[in-house]
Amino acid sequence: MKVVVTGREGQLARALGACVRNHPGIELVALGRPQLDLEQPAAVAHILAEAKPDIVVNAAAYTAVDRAEAESALAYAVNRDGARAVAEAAWHLGVPLIHISTDYVYGGDKPDPYVESDPTAPLGVYGRSKLAGEQAVRSVHPGALILRTSWVYSPYGQNFVKTMLRLGGERDELRVVDDQTGNPTSALDLADAIFKIAPELLRHRSTPLTLHLAGEGSVSWFGLAAHVFALAAASGQRIPKLVPIPSASYPTPARRPVNSRLDCTRFQARFGLSLPHWEASVDETVSLLL
């Protein structure tokens, strides 16, 4: 089975590359700029056709949440128009598509974890562009699997866990938001799950699904930082003093959901698997980074 993933330099594509050796029988092809640029959607169909995929994973996205407020046209070009081009190409090739989306499609005002049927109400350009991407994907590839995930981290690229470790070695004190809660999700866990469900998607190519897939358990950004630094301290690393603050004390161009928790029950019921608890996966990632 050949899995083709877009967004070659992103966390998920790199995690898929690291995990593929654990899944015999799967060949991974990672596409990205300049070969495949979602800002140039006209070329997408030809490039994907040349790759001859059995299944496509669209992991390419514009993810600069704050910068998106000033670069809305670019965010929509990638997250909506580029996503549509990938989905349309996969549909014409007759292959399943996994499209990666985000918890930021929700408004964050629900007291409980979000389920897939909850109303969407994105707070900023990034979330709105990703929601528009979901709608565009569904309009041209009715059988696509849309996976909403949250708070992704890994040993690759830029993410909260890596940023905390870097800043911990540079600063004596860090102020971290403590009133936003979500499910930290390891890109390595996501990659492993995608490879595990890929054969099932090949058997049922036309089942449209929108599902949540995120790490088990939830925590605030402050709690996540505290866990990372406890691991770092146990390894003899220098750590800063951590100060919890409310979101109001850390203004950003884009508003974030206060509650990003995702209920993944439907994914577990459909595929019979769930991701590990966030603490265990953060432990693994920090160990790799240290």
Side-chain angles (χ1 to χ4, degrees):
M1 180 196 325
K2 182 188 286 189
V3 176
V4 173
V5 59
T6 65
R8 180 172 51 210
E9 298 304 317
Q11 292 190 79
L12 181 54
R14 294 174 70 180
L16 287 164
C19 291
V20 69
R21 62 179 177 271
N22 300 324
H23 296 272
I26 293 182
E27 175 190 357
L28 181 72
V29 175
L31 300 176
R33 292 180 293 184
Q35 179 188 12
L36 180 73
D37 186 350
L38 295 198
E39 294 178 53
Q40 308 295 329
V44 168
H46 174 69
I47 294 166
L48 279 181
E50 281 192 330
K52 296 182 172 59
D54 295 307
I55 187 167
V56 174
V57 179
N58 184 33
Y62 179 105
T63 59
V65 175
D66 287 323
R67 200 162 68 238
E69 297 299 308
E71 296 181 347
S72 62
L74 180 55
Y76 276 92
V78 175
N79 292 344
R80 180 193 60 197
D81 304 336
R84 179 191 289 114
V86 172
E88 192 167 27
W91 178 256
H92 284 305
L93 290 170
V95 300
L97 170 71
I98 300 175
H99 175 71
I100 307 301
S101 193
T102 173
D103 54 308
Y104 276 48
V105 300
Y106 297 114
D109 55 354
K110 183 182 177 182
D112 303 312
Y114 280 90
V115 297
E116 291 85 349
S117 57
D118 283 327
T120 53
L123 300 177
V125 170
Y126 168 68
R128 289 193 291 271
S129 68
K130 288 296 289 181
L131 180 59
E134 289 187 12
Q135 295 162 345
V137 164
R138 186 68 71 214
S139 71
V140 296
H141 196 310
L145 168 60
I146 295 171
L147 291 180
R148 293 174 180 160
T149 191
S150 70
W151 293 24
V152 177
Y153 64 89
S154 70
Y156 319 111
Q158 298 300 314
N159 58 74
F160 183 83
V161 171
K162 289 184 71 177
T163 297
M164 288 299 101
L165 289 174
R166 175 177 58 81
L167 293 179
E170 299 173 355
R171 300 184 185 178
D172 296 323
E173 179 179 290
L174 277 179
R175 293 155 56 85
V176 181
V177 168
D178 197 28
D179 59 359
Q180 297 174 19
T181 307
N183 307 91
T185 304
S186 164
L188 293 168
D189 292 341
L190 274 177
D192 186 63
I194 285 170
F195 284 137
K196 286 177 177 176
I197 68 174
E200 174 75 5
L201 295 179
L202 283 175
R203 287 191 292 270
H204 302 280
R205 293 168 180 259
S206 60
T207 305
L209 293 169
T210 298
L211 298 173
H212 294 163
L213 182 57
E216 286 290 315
S218 60
V219 70
S220 70
W221 290 117
F222 174 83
L224 177 54
H227 187 78
V228 168
F229 287 128
L231 296 170
S235 296
Q237 303 295 309
R238 176 185 182 276
I239 64 169
K241 176 185 176 182
L242 269 183
V243 179
I245 61 170
S247 301
S249 297
Y250 190 76
T252 55
R255 291 173 59 204
R256 268 76 170 168
V258 171
N259 173 27
S260 279
R261 293 176 295 154
L262 300 177
D263 184 316
C264 301
T265 303
R266 292 186 184 179
F267 184 92
Q268 295 163 8
R270 177 64 179 79
F271 293 106
L273 63 95
S274 59
L275 300 192
H277 194 278
W278 70 265
E279 289 184 352
S281 295
V282 168
D283 291 358
E284 178 185 359
T285 295
V286 171
S287 177
L288 289 169
L289 290 169
L290 292 180

